[in-house]
Amino acid sequence: MKKLLLTLFIGLLSIHLIGCSSIISNESPQKQANTQEKNTEYKRIEVELVRPSDGDTIAVHYKGNRESVRFLLVDTPETSHPRLGEQPFGKEAKEFTRKLVENAQKLELEFDIGPQRDKYGRLLAYVYVDGKMIQEELLKNGFARVAYIYPPNTRYVDQFRAIQKEAQQKGIGIWEIENYAQEDGFHPEIIDSKEKKSSQADEDCVIKGNIGKEKIYHTPDSPWYEKTKAEMMFCTEEEAVKAGFRPVKP
């Protein structure tokens, strides 16, 4: 009788364990890993702001010392670089960061698993203002590009690239100008080249369009050309006609 009861007990225990095992196995290892990653909270250290330095750099009080903090994985245009000078959108990025850090009730740093300082001695960190990460905000608004990716400090690089892609598609900030922001940095010469071409085109477009009771265009040979105030400029007479203008009567 005892043997029968023992056998029944072992059988029921086996069924129970198999059932539990099947429940656990319903969640794939990948899903379990993702859940664990999602629930991971990385340590943040609260610091006191000294002053904003640039779009991607601030000065803080950290462990009793004044420290410069360089934002990990992003790069904003320069405002006063000794070699590069001031770059387009540099002032806008600096002002954006300044407002965030100066208006924050709580300023925090989060370090990655790699080096905590760069070759200049600056702290490398993800920076939070009232729970929002500044890197993400800069990327969302088109004031920064994803850059300086040095493993193992790459915790949020995929996340940052996804945000950057959205800003690129919207064409905002540094992405307003094609090829200004590139893999190797910012290229103000692209803007200078485009402005030069535009200026050259304006010089070639000498036909004046005047809008009164009628839309009339004047070529340099027209008798009233010098006295005509141009409200529109055209490069060819065909272009003026397409815009609804007629030539001045002789």
Side-chain angles (χ1 to χ4, degrees):
M1 184 68 180
K2 288 182 179 179
K3 286 183 179 180
L4 179 61
L5 289 173
L6 181 61
T7 302
L8 287 172
F9 174 74
I10 292 171
L12 289 171
L13 181 62
S14 299
I15 291 169
H16 175 72
L17 290 174
I18 291 169
C20 290
S21 176
S22 65
I23 291 171
I24 293 170
S25 64
N26 283 338
E27 190 174 79
S28 67
Q30 182 63 46
K31 188 175 180 182
Q32 290 178 40
N34 290 342
T35 302
Q36 185 176 5
E37 173 106 7
K38 187 176 180 182
N39 292 333
T40 301
E41 289 188 8
Y42 296 102
K43 182 181 178 182
R44 298 181 193 174
I45 301 166
E46 189 169 353
V47 293
E48 182 184 342
L49 177 70
V50 174
R51 69 178 182 87
S53 306
D54 215 336
D56 52 27
T57 313
I58 60 173
V60 303
H61 283 302
Y62 171 74
K63 291 186 176 180
N65 298 315
R66 174 174 169 153
E67 299 273 9
S68 184
V69 182
R70 178 68 169 76
F71 301 170
L72 268 172
L73 298 179
V74 298
D75 180 35
T76 64
E78 301 290 347
T79 54
S80 56
H81 193 277
R83 180 173 57 85
L84 300 173
E86 183 183 319
Q87 297 176 319
F89 295 100
K91 282 185 177 179
E92 291 86 342
K94 182 177 180 178
E95 181 64 12
F96 184 83
T97 295
R98 183 192 69 77
K99 286 181 179 178
L100 284 178
V101 295
E102 289 186 351
N103 294 325
Q105 297 298 312
K106 191 175 186 181
L107 183 64
E108 298 171 292
L109 305 182
E110 176 191 325
F111 295 107
D112 213 320
I113 60 174
Q116 293 187 0
R117 293 183 185 272
D118 64 10
K119 62 183 179 180
Y120 304 108
R122 299 177 298 186
L123 292 173
L124 297 171
Y126 305 106
V127 184
Y128 293 82
V129 289
D130 298 329
K132 294 190 299 184
M133 194 195 296
I134 296 183
Q135 280 97 323
E136 289 186 349
E137 297 304 309
L138 285 165
L139 290 166
K140 282 177 187 176
N141 289 274
F143 291 129
R145 66 187 185 96
V146 179
Y148 302 118
I149 304 165
Y150 301 121
N153 284 346
T154 56
R155 181 175 297 153
Y156 300 111
V157 67
D158 292 337
Q159 186 174 315
F160 288 179
R161 281 175 171 154
I163 296 171
Q164 174 177 277
K165 188 175 181 181
E166 289 184 11
Q168 287 174 311
Q169 290 171 343
K170 291 177 182 177
I172 57 176
I174 60 175
W175 309 111
E176 287 179 18
I177 304 157
E178 188 178 1
N179 296 325
Y180 169 53
Q182 299 183 32
E183 287 289 330
D184 61 345
F186 299 100
H187 292 262
E189 69 275 9
I190 296 291
I191 300 174
D192 294 338
S193 176
K194 287 184 177 181
E195 287 179 349
K196 187 176 180 181
K197 286 180 181 178
S198 177
S199 177
Q200 183 63 44
D202 289 343
E203 290 177 7
D204 295 337
C205 299
V206 295
I207 298 173
K208 295 180 179 180
N210 182 258
I211 303 172
K213 291 182 180 179
E214 295 181 84
K215 291 182 176 180
I216 300 172
Y217 71 82
H218 300 256
T219 66
D221 297 328
S222 302
W224 302 104
Y225 183 81
E226 294 299 332
K227 294 183 180 180
T228 298
K229 182 180 179 181
E231 293 173 277
M232 294 185 70
M233 295 296 291
F234 302 102
C235 298
T236 65
E237 291 187 64
E238 182 181 6
E239 190 180 303
V241 171
K242 282 184 179 179
F245 288 75
R246 68 162 179 82
V248 65
K249 292 179 181 178

